Amino acid sequence: MKKLWAGRFNNTTDDIVESYTESISYDYRLWQYDIKGSIAHARMLGRQKIIKKSEADRIVAALREIAAEISSGEFQFRKEHEDIHMNIEARLTEKIGPLGGKLHTARSRNDQVALDTRLYLREETESIINLLSRFKKSLVKLAEKNIDAVLPGYTHLQRAQPVLFAHHLLAYYEMADRDAERFQDALQRINVMPLGAAALAGTSFPIDRHYVAKQLGFPDVSKNSIDTVSDRDFVIEFLSACSVLMMHLSRLSEEIILWASGEFGFIELPDAFATGSSIMPQKKNPDVAELTRGKTGRVYGNLFALLTVMKGLPLAYNRDMQEDKEALFDSVDTVKAALDLMGRMLQKLKINRHRMKEAALGGFTTATDFADYLTASGMPFRQAHEAAGKLVAYCLKQHGAGNKNGKKLEDLSLEELALFAGGVTQDVYDWLSVEGSAARRKSFGGTAKELVIARLKELKGKKR
Ligand code: ARG
């Protein structure tokens, strides 16, 4: 028996549940793909005579009108209709009556949402690949502009050996290149047509899935209806590629932050990409780089959120899977913005070659070269290493004028050098200079200028 308060109680409950379960507040973003997919589906239903051709035409025309309503902003998304699929279907029925109800023949929201997500992600993956190629171009440009700059390369954040700044930048090029490959590879698994799996078992209607795939430009059709509606691997792979990419951007950010500090002073940030402090007038903060480093956390988090959502789900579709979207959208937005901004910032960085070179000189970064010099004239490397080490210790003890940290290797006289090894002649100074050190590293992939220039040329010839 209907209780007196039942109406009110139910309404209240429904309202809370509605708010808890709705996804329209974020999956409205899929509207274009939802309509595209529905048009392809309606055409297929007409072609297969599951509905009349004229009915399919009317549905398609109404769906196009709905697309226009949404893009002009006049469409009202309603929480009562839960998600993007039902919002559009409800409007369709509002427009063309019960015929609207035929669109969902041989389809379920389970395969529909998989289709929308794949269409969306296919496009976003392409756009990230394009942004990556723009980012790579920024690296190449900055490297070319500063082909003569030498800075200390670091290991353990201790000055190690002189490297060309351009070579250092091209290390990030390689990372970005691998990132693009990862997205390209993920695209193969994203680009699979799921519609027709229906709820999970397929459908009794004589549908033509390959025709739907052809209309939507999918090279592949999914093979197992149960897997089709329970699979989010393609989202996880994408989020994983995003995480690796953000890890790279975060490392670059960290270097930019260090380089922009007074202690390093290797670069100056463009004013447009830095902010001041509200209390300390002297400050110019590297916020874009810091936020990129920070946002890496949420991109990792999104990957873990979805891995965790999926790990305990029995086949096939479960409503838990609705939780994939906010994580996915957030990673897409974050990665696109980070790539774009980091690329733009690179183009405007000012490089302080003098400070870079000073740092390389001050850090005994050519000690290996001294050892190599001795080794080249026959001394066993271990012995040469020992001699070079003693030489560094000697330098540290000498407090020459204006040289707070002792002497630099290239300041030493031949007589001083001779204290550590016999047979040292004038040509040693070329080995002790930071430019000479870098120039001599001609092994394939090394930092010698001619190799870096050749690599830059190779990269400029590449399309993406
Ligand atoms: N909004 C849902 C999602 O994002 C669509 C699929 C709903 N399917 C269902 N059987 N309730 O996953």
Side-chain angles (χ1 to χ4, degrees):
M1 203 178 81
K2 195 170 188 290
K3 299 211 167 47
L4 278 177
W5 47 262
R8 180 167 187 250
F9 191 87
N10 270 331
N11 275 341
T12 309
T13 310
D14 281 350
D15 206 39
I16 299 168
V17 172
E18 211 170 84
S19 298
Y20 192 68
T21 54
E22 66 85 23
S23 54
I24 189 62
S25 56
Y26 48 88
D27 71 10
Y28 71 90
R29 281 176 61 152
L30 297 174
W31 71 266
Q32 282 187 51
Y33 312 101
D34 198 76
I35 289 181
K36 239 190 195 170
S38 286
I39 289 177
H41 181 65
R43 283 210 183 108
M44 182 278 290
L45 291 177
R47 192 167 183 259
Q48 297 299 102
K49 305 201 166 53
I50 297 167
I51 62 175
K52 288 197 199 103
K53 169 87 173 48
S54 58
E55 292 176 327
D57 290 345
R58 275 181 68 201
I59 291 174
V60 169
L63 284 169
R64 290 225 170 91
E65 286 167 25
I66 295 172
E69 289 169 15
I70 299 176
S71 58
S72 73
E74 72 192 79
F75 189 95
Q76 288 285 324
F77 293 107
R78 287 182 203 287
K79 202 175 70 179
E80 308 87 89
H81 297 318
E82 203 177 300
D83 57 24
I84 186 61
H85 325 297
M86 298 211 290
N87 265 269
I88 290 173
E89 195 184 317
R91 179 71 185 124
L92 182 69
T93 303
E94 220 171 84
K95 288 171 83 79
I96 60 174
L99 172 59
K102 290 201 174 186
L103 172 63
H104 213 51
T105 312
R107 185 173 76 170
S108 148
R109 275 188 296 155
N110 298 349
D111 55 346
Q112 189 179 358
V113 73
L115 176 65
D116 293 7
T117 309
R118 286 172 182 276
L119 284 169
Y120 160 80
L121 200 47
R122 178 169 83 177
E123 214 167 283
E124 294 296 359
T125 303
E126 294 278 9
S127 103
I128 289 175
I129 292 171
N130 286 335
L131 281 167
L132 271 166
S133 86
R134 265 182 33 205
F135 175 74
K136 288 191 288 186
K137 284 201 184 103
S138 307
L139 287 166
V140 167
K141 259 197 208 150
L142 186 64
E144 267 187 325
K145 244 190 346 202
N146 297 282
I147 190 65
D148 288 316
V150 181
L151 81 168
Y154 293 82
T155 62
H156 315 268
L157 198 56
Q158 303 287 322
R159 282 175 271 186
Q161 291 172 350
V163 293
L164 291 196
F165 178 61
H167 193 54
H168 192 107
L169 286 176
L170 291 189
Y172 286 101
Y173 185 104
E174 299 297 326
M175 296 176 223
D177 215 30
R178 292 194 295 273
D179 286 322
E181 279 177 20
R182 258 183 290 275
F183 282 105
Q184 202 69 56
D185 186 57
L187 200 49
Q188 293 178 50
R189 260 100 46 206
I190 292 167
N191 214 358
V192 178
M193 209 292 292
L195 209 66
L200 82 164
T203 172
S204 57
F205 291 98
I207 58 171
D208 182 350
R209 299 187 62 205
H210 292 87
Y211 177 61
V212 175
K214 206 172 138 201
Q215 291 182 79
L216 296 170
F218 282 103
D220 238 333
V221 174
S222 65
K223 308 279 190 299
N224 178 299
S225 60
I226 299 174
D227 176 54
T228 300
V229 292
S230 59
D231 170 30
R232 289 295 179 273
D233 293 4
F234 64 101
V235 180
I236 292 173
E237 276 188 56
F238 173 87
L239 292 175
S240 153
C242 287
S243 298
V244 177
L245 163 60
M246 286 303 288
M247 177 268 288
H248 294 149
L249 292 183
S250 186
R251 293 182 78 172
L252 176 60
S253 297
E254 172 68 11
E255 299 213 285
I256 287 174
I257 293 161
L258 285 172
W259 291 344
S261 70
E263 284 70 13
F264 279 80
F266 289 179
I267 58 171
E268 201 191 316
L269 293 169
D271 279 358
F273 282 77
T275 62
S277 156
S278 54
I279 176 169
M280 297 164 283
Q282 83 282 12
K283 298 266 299 233
K284 184 170 176 185
N285 295 327
D287 306 51
V288 170
E290 289 174 286
L291 280 166
T292 300
R293 190 177 59 185
K295 284 174 190 291
T296 302
R298 64 200 281 165
V299 174
Y300 290 2
N302 290 334
L303 169 63
F304 265 79
L306 194 54
L307 279 170
T308 312
V309 163
M310 297 305 292
K311 73 180 268 292
L313 297 188
L315 303 183
Y317 179 84
N318 297 270
R319 189 63 180 272
D320 317 43
M321 289 157 72
Q322 177 169 296
E323 288 289 306
D324 64 353
K325 277 167 218 63
E326 282 169 293
L328 177 58
F329 296 158
D330 183 62
S331 282
V332 166
D333 294 344
T334 306
V335 162
K336 283 168 75 178
L339 260 179
D340 184 33
L341 261 88
M342 292 295 285
R344 285 170 196 272
M345 179 163 66
L346 284 179
Q347 294 193 16
K348 300 207 167 103
L349 281 190
K350 273 212 214 96
I351 305 306
N352 189 338
R353 288 166 204 220
H354 181 70
R355 283 295 296 257
M356 286 182 176
K357 186 172 172 183
E358 278 298 300
L361 282 172
F364 307 108
T365 55
T366 57
T368 313
D369 298 83
F370 184 64
D372 285 352
Y373 173 83
L374 300 176
T375 307
S377 54
M379 188 185 282
F381 180 74
R382 273 291 147 240
Q383 202 181 321
H385 184 284
E386 171 86 8
K390 293 219 164 96
L391 187 64
V392 169
Y394 171 82
C395 287
L396 286 168
K397 272 191 233 131
Q398 308 298 308
H399 287 262
N403 187 2
K404 271 190 289 179
N405 300 316
K407 281 194 173 177
K408 292 171 185 149
L409 288 177
E410 62 170 22
D411 297 337
L412 299 173
S413 66
L414 273 180
E415 291 71 37
E416 285 174 298
L417 291 169
L419 297 173
F420 300 90
V424 178
T425 54
Q426 190 62 32
D427 60 340
V428 74
Y429 291 108
D430 178 50
W431 291 68
L432 295 179
S433 81
V434 295
E435 287 86 358
S437 163
R440 226 171 290 107
R441 289 181 156 67
K442 288 186 204 155
S443 52
F444 184 80
T447 194
K449 189 166 154 188
E450 59 192 82
L451 296 183
V452 176
I453 288 174
R455 180 71 179 138
L456 280 168
K457 214 170 134 199
E458 199 173 282
L459 296 179
K460 282 182 78 180
K462 278 177 87 173
K463 271 227 271 331
R464 300 159 70 104

